[in-house]
Amino acid sequence: MNAHRMGWVVDSPALGTGLQAHPCGDALRPAEPLPAADPVAVTFSGGGFRATFSALGVVRLLADAGMLSGLRYASSVSGGSVANGLLATAWPDLKQRDFTTAAVDELLIDPAVTKVGSHSLKKAILRGLWRTLGPMARTELLARRLDEWFFHGTALPDLDPDVRWILNAGNLTTRARFTFERDVLGDYTIGLAATADTGLKLSLAVAASAAVPGAFPPLVLKNARFPCATVAPALLDGGTYDNTGSEAIDSEHYRDVFLLVLNAGGLLRPGAYGGIPVVRDLARANSLLYRQSTALRTRLIVERFQRGRSVGLDEELPPGARRGVLVGLATDFPGNGSGRLNEWRDTFTEHRTHASRDLSLVPTVFDRLEEPLCRALVHRGWWLAGAGLASFHPHRLPDLTSLKPPQL
C-alpha cells in the first residue's frame, strides 16, 4: 500500500503531518467592551463544579477589591464557563447594585450554592435521556438543563456589552479554539458569524464548552453559516484545547489589561494506575498531553507576568509583558512571603481541605456537591486570588480589616 495514501491515527495537521489550517481572512471581529480606566480580565479553567465555585470565589474577591466594575474580558472553558455564564446573567443586576460584595453573595454565589447543594445536574440529565431517542442529542439536553437551572432563557445577544464574555469550545473539524461571544461565534479558520437573529442561547454555548468527550457527543452547529466553513463545526469541551481559557486574550492587544487566571483543572497524580488495558493507556496518554499543554501555557503566562513585574507601575509595559496573577487550587504560597501576604494570612485563615480532602482533588463532576463543600470551594478561590494579589500586586487590595471572607 502506498504510504502516502495511509491514514495514521497519529497524523495531526497541528503537528505538521498533514494539511495546515489557514486563517479565514474574514473582516468580522468581536465588538470591543466598554472602555475602562483600569481594565481587568479573568480566565476560568475547566474542572466541573469544582471549577465553577472556585471561580465564583475569584469574582467575590474582585468585588472586595473594587475591581469587579473594571472587568472587561471574561474567558472560560467547561466548569469555568458555568461560572462565566452565571456572572454574565447576573451582570445587569450586579451593576445596578454597584458590584458590592453583598450583591455578589446574594445574586451569584448563594443561588448557585443552593441549587448545586440540593440537586444533581447529572441525575437531571439522566432523567431526561428519553428525549435523546429523538433528534435531541445529550449535549443539547445538557444545554436545556443548564438553562433551567441557571440561565433562564438568556440569549447570547442579550449579554451586557460592558464585557466581552468569551466561552470557549474545541472544534473537532478544524482543531481550533471555537468562541461563543455576545455578538459573534466561530474560529479563525472558518471565520466568524454574527449571533444576531440566531436565537442562540447562552446555555448552548456553556454546554458546548463543557461537553466532556465520552459523556457528551460533540455539538454540531448545522444551521450556523460561517464564511470559510466546508463542514459544520463539531464542538466539545474547550479544555481539550486550552484548559486555562487564556488564549483568547493573550495577544499584545490586551497588554495593558490586568489578568487574573484561575486553574481549577484536575491533577495528574503519578504512580500506579489501573483499569481496562488499552483504554487506561489511552486515557493516561491523553492526561499527559493535557498536562503538558496546560503546563506550557501556564509557563508562558507566568513569564509574561515576571516581565511585567520588572517594570514600574507608572511605566509602559514592553512587548511580551503583562500584569496579573495566576493561581491554581493546589498553589502553595511561600511561608516567608511578603509583608502583605503575611498580613493576608494572619487576617484570613487558609482552608484548603474539606472533610480531610484537599479541595484540588474534588472530583471533576457536574453532580450534587454538599453545600459546605460548595462554600469551601468559593472560599478557596477567594483566598487564593487575595493571596496572589497580596504577593504580587499588594496595592490592589484594600484595608484587610474592611473585608469579610465568604461564608464557610
Side-chain angles (χ1 to χ4, degrees):
M1 180 180 293
N2 188 330
H4 295 288
R5 300 283 300 276
M6 296 176 65
W8 296 94
V9 295
V10 294
D11 279 357
S12 168
L15 297 176
T17 58
L19 297 175
Q20 295 293 312
H22 297 282
C24 174
D26 59 318
L28 185 61
R29 289 295 177 267
E32 286 297 316
L34 185 74
D38 183 18
V40 176
V42 293
T43 71
F44 298 142
S45 78
F49 282 144
R50 179 187 67 240
T52 301
F53 286 106
S54 53
L56 293 181
V58 171
V59 173
R60 172 58 144 71
L61 190 280
L62 291 178
D64 284 329
M67 297 168 63
L68 187 56
S69 61
L71 182 68
R72 291 298 177 264
Y73 303 91
S75 179
S76 60
V77 300
S78 199
S81 287
V82 177
N84 200 2
L86 286 167
L87 178 59
T89 302
W91 189 261
D93 292 332
L94 291 171
K95 180 165 56 174
Q96 190 172 22
R97 293 182 54 177
D98 295 323
F99 302 104
T100 63
T101 294
V104 171
D105 285 343
E106 295 168 19
L107 299 174
L108 197 59
I109 295 174
D110 290 347
V113 168
T114 298
K115 189 67 176 181
V116 176
S118 57
H119 298 81
S120 167
L121 180 61
K122 180 177 73 174
K123 290 181 179 179
I125 293 170
L126 291 174
R127 285 194 296 269
L129 278 181
W130 61 271
R131 296 179 180 275
T132 63
L133 297 175
M136 180 182 291
R138 292 195 304 278
T139 306
E140 295 171 300
L141 178 60
L142 170 63
R144 175 177 291 198
R145 291 292 180 258
L146 288 169
D147 195 57
E148 294 167 353
W149 276 40
F150 300 126
F151 306 128
H152 317 299
T154 301
L156 286 175
D158 296 337
L159 299 182
D160 196 299
D162 283 1
V163 181
R164 264 189 67 191
W165 310 101
I166 307 168
L167 299 106
N168 301 291
N171 187 349
L172 281 177
T173 62
T174 64
R175 304 164 181 85
R177 178 183 62 85
F178 187 99
T179 183
F180 289 92
E181 303 195 26
R182 178 184 63 85
D183 52 337
V184 297
L185 71 160
D187 68 42
Y188 82 98
T189 69
I190 61 174
L192 298 178
T195 61
D197 302 321
T198 62
L200 279 172
K201 290 185 177 181
L202 172 62
S203 58
L204 190 72
V206 175
S209 180
V212 179
F216 298 99
L219 176 70
V220 180
L221 292 180
K222 297 179 180 178
N223 297 323
R225 296 290 179 265
F226 301 93
C228 297
T230 56
V231 293
L235 310 177
L236 78 168
D237 190 332
T240 61
Y241 179 86
D242 167 23
N243 202 48
T244 67
S246 63
E247 184 184 82
I249 50 175
D250 70 357
S251 76
E252 288 297 302
H253 177 73
Y254 310 99
R255 188 194 313 169
D256 295 318
V257 179
F258 187 86
L259 174 60
L260 207 161
V261 180
L262 172 69
N263 183 3
L267 300 178
L268 176 61
R269 284 172 282 178
Y273 62 103
I276 303 172
V278 180
V279 173
R280 74 182 180 196
D281 296 336
L282 288 172
R284 192 69 168 185
N286 181 68
S287 296
L288 287 169
L289 292 169
Y290 156 77
R291 181 183 182 279
Q292 182 70 356
S293 63
T294 302
L296 290 172
R297 187 163 290 278
T298 297
R299 186 181 304 166
L300 174 64
I301 295 169
V302 170
E303 287 174 351
R304 289 180 172 178
F305 287 163
Q306 289 172 336
R307 293 192 199 109
R309 290 189 67 204
S310 67
V311 179
L313 292 178
D314 297 327
E315 297 180 54
E316 182 179 351
L317 286 173
R322 295 290 296 269
R323 290 191 176 100
V325 172
L326 183 150
V327 293
L329 291 190
T331 295
D332 291 309
F333 283 90
N336 57 345
S338 66
R340 197 71 160 134
L341 175 59
N342 292 335
E343 182 188 357
W344 178 263
R345 273 205 175 99
D346 292 341
T347 308
F348 306 112
T349 303
E350 180 179 11
H351 297 277
R352 64 178 302 157
T353 63
H354 175 77
S356 301
R357 178 173 57 182
D358 194 290
L359 290 169
S360 64
L361 300 179
V362 171
T364 303
V365 295
F366 288 116
D367 205 349
R368 179 180 175 272
L369 301 182
E370 58 182 16
E371 184 169 329
L373 176 55
C374 296
R375 299 261 179 212
L377 287 164
V378 171
H379 189 280
R380 182 65 176 157
W382 178 86
W383 192 94
L384 285 166
L389 291 182
S391 297
F392 303 109
H393 301 277
H395 63 284
R396 288 187 170 271
L397 283 176
D399 177 7
L400 300 189
T401 61
S402 68
L403 303 185
K404 182 180 179 181
Q407 176 186 342
L408 274 173

